Amino acid sequence: MPRVNVKERLIEHAEDVFRRKGFNAASVQDITEAAGVPKGSFYNHFASKQDLAAEIVARYARATDFSALHGEGPALDRLHRHLTGQIDRIRASGVEFGCLLGTFAGDGTTAGQRVRESVRDALDDWAGAMTRTIAEGQAAGEITADRPPAGLAVFLLDLLEGATLRAKATGDQSSVADEVSIALDALRA
Amino acid sequence: MPRVNVKERLIEHAEDVFRRKGFNAASVQDITEAAGVPKGSFYNHFASKQDLAAEIVARYARATDFSALHGEGPALDRLHRHLTGQIDRIRASGVEFGCLLGTFAGDGTTAGQRVRESVRDALDDWAGAMTRTIAEGQAAGEITADRPPAGLAVFLLDLLEGATLRAKATGDQSSVADEVSIALDALRA
């Protein structure tokens, strides 16, 4: 098996293993087994589990679909479409395994500096994308101008992550859409 | 050392170890070392790490201060005092270690059935206590009657947990109070 192929297989399968087990419980062996590569090959491609995890977080962030935020129509509708898309994404990968970013945010204390920075960058980029849509909604008089757009974006993102954490604990995602709807109503001018 | 003392010491120190490391990264040896008891004594008192963790979650829930919810004054003020108290509790035990309930909710997939049930019970009891205060606020015309009180309580609790998860990732709790204030404004009639 060519080396590049092994690295790609590791990256491809690690996301699922990390989401299912979290950073700490996922072993290098779990990841190499899921990828179907020899355990010894791991360290030819990554210096550590931390190293791979930081790359997986960045990859998850790059794969986040922000297109709804930049679409047509009222800003609140665009935010609603975007957040609904994220709810669907989490459902597709298993509600009981939560959001990969949320899982790594929770594991951050023990996962180390590189993983923590990768999570912070991903959260910042995500909040930044929503901030721009919220600022447009404020300029259009559709969203309350009583609060800075960045604060409202962080509020929406944290509500989604908190509701997704509950869904992970209960195995039931049904309250998340209602909670997002309450949060979006709070932004209305 | 009498056996009852050893068990109490284990319970007393396990909360801190679990909050700092999460369920998976905290080993029985970490807990016995923190408690200053011989490693072998652990299994005289607990069948497993899961067993102790479920007890720690229940203990954390019992130690939650709900008194502000049952105090005097407008329901929104009581909710604000209660949530501010929880923010202070998390700050006192280390922002970067988050909320014990949130940490275990995130670890639930691998921590096993008993821990998951313990987390679910704790979240249900907490949401239940806030639901009663919200229903009082609705009866007084102070809180919107457009949504069931239980849904609003879950929204508040999940926002707090999501904001606390962000604070855990960033080491910075400063946005949490603002986010709680946005969430409480959303409840206003």
Side-chain angles (χ1 to χ4, degrees):
Chain A
M1 201 176 313
R3 284 172 64 123
V4 55
N5 219 336
V6 169
K7 183 168 187 180
E8 276 167 16
R9 288 181 68 88
L10 285 166
I11 290 175
E12 193 184 321
H13 289 85
E15 179 173 323
D16 194 50
V17 175
F18 279 131
R19 185 188 289 102
R20 285 168 183 268
K21 299 204 154 191
F23 177 80
N24 290 305
S27 68
V28 166
Q29 186 166 347
D30 291 332
I31 295 164
T32 52
E33 276 177 8
V37 303
K39 186 177 177 193
S41 65
F42 184 90
Y43 294 98
N44 295 333
H45 303 285
F46 299 99
S48 62
K49 190 172 75 164
Q50 283 84 339
D51 201 35
L52 172 57
E55 179 147 345
I56 293 297
V57 169
R59 182 176 179 262
Y60 183 85
R62 282 195 303 272
T64 301
D65 182 359
F66 294 117
S67 62
L69 292 177
H70 314 304
E72 295 290 309
L76 283 172
D77 291 353
R78 286 186 269 148
L79 290 161
H80 185 260
R81 278 201 301 278
H82 170 67
L83 294 170
T84 301
Q86 293 305 305
I87 295 173
D88 292 346
R89 180 189 193 186
I90 288 158
R91 184 184 307 119
S93 57
V95 167
E96 69 274 35
F97 305 123
C99 165
L100 185 80
L101 281 187
T103 296
F104 274 114
D107 280 342
T109 327
T110 44
Q113 188 62 18
R114 279 208 58 200
V115 176
R116 265 203 305 281
E117 277 169 14
S118 197
V119 168
R120 280 201 290 255
D121 288 348
L123 290 174
D124 285 350
D125 289 349
W126 191 355
M130 290 205 289
T131 297
R132 287 186 287 280
T133 305
I134 291 169
E136 290 165 19
Q138 289 179 325
E142 186 201 337
I143 290 179
T144 176
D146 292 351
R147 310 240 180 208
L152 293 173
V154 159
F155 164 76
L156 284 184
L157 178 45
D158 289 354
L159 182 275
L160 180 69
E161 287 296 339
T164 296
L165 185 62
R166 162 185 301 276
K168 186 173 182 176
T170 62
D172 175 6
Q173 201 190 25
S174 63
S175 72
V176 182
D178 268 357
E179 293 179 67
V180 164
S181 148
I182 297 170
L184 286 173
D185 275 352
L187 266 62
R188 221 171 275 280
Chain B
M1 199 176 316
R3 284 173 64 125
V4 56
N5 220 334
V6 170
K7 182 170 188 180
E8 275 167 17
R9 288 180 68 87
L10 285 166
I11 290 174
E12 194 185 318
H13 289 85
E15 180 173 322
D16 194 49
V17 175
F18 279 130
R19 185 190 288 104
R20 284 168 184 267
K21 298 203 152 192
F23 177 79
N24 290 306
S27 67
V28 166
Q29 186 166 344
D30 290 333
I31 296 164
T32 52
E33 275 177 8
V37 303
K39 184 175 179 194
S41 65
F42 184 89
Y43 294 99
N44 296 333
H45 303 285
F46 298 100
S48 62
K49 190 172 75 166
Q50 282 85 341
D51 202 34
L52 172 58
E55 180 148 344
I56 293 297
V57 170
R59 182 175 179 263
Y60 183 86
R62 281 195 304 272
T64 301
D65 182 359
F66 294 117
S67 62
L69 292 177
H70 314 303
E72 295 288 311
L76 283 171
D77 291 353
R78 287 186 266 147
L79 288 162
H80 185 260
R81 279 201 300 279
H82 170 66
L83 293 170
T84 301
Q86 292 306 304
I87 295 172
D88 293 344
R89 180 189 193 187
I90 288 158
R91 185 183 308 119
S93 56
V95 167
E96 68 275 34
F97 306 123
C99 165
L100 185 79
L101 280 188
T103 296
F104 275 114
D107 280 342
T109 327
T110 44
Q113 187 62 19
R114 280 208 56 201
V115 176
R116 265 203 305 282
E117 278 169 14
S118 198
V119 169
R120 279 201 290 256
D121 288 349
L123 290 174
D124 285 350
D125 288 350
W126 191 356
M130 291 205 287
T131 297
R132 287 186 287 280
T133 305
I134 291 170
E136 289 165 20
Q138 289 180 324
E142 187 200 334
I143 290 178
T144 176
D146 292 351
R147 311 241 181 205
L152 294 172
V154 159
F155 163 76
L156 284 184
L157 178 44
D158 289 354
L159 182 274
L160 180 69
E161 287 296 339
T164 297
L165 185 62
R166 161 184 302 276
K168 186 173 182 178
T170 61
D172 175 5
Q173 201 190 24
S174 63
S175 73
V176 181
D178 268 355
E179 295 179 64
V180 164
S181 149
I182 298 171
L184 286 173
D185 275 351
L187 267 61
R188 223 170 274 280

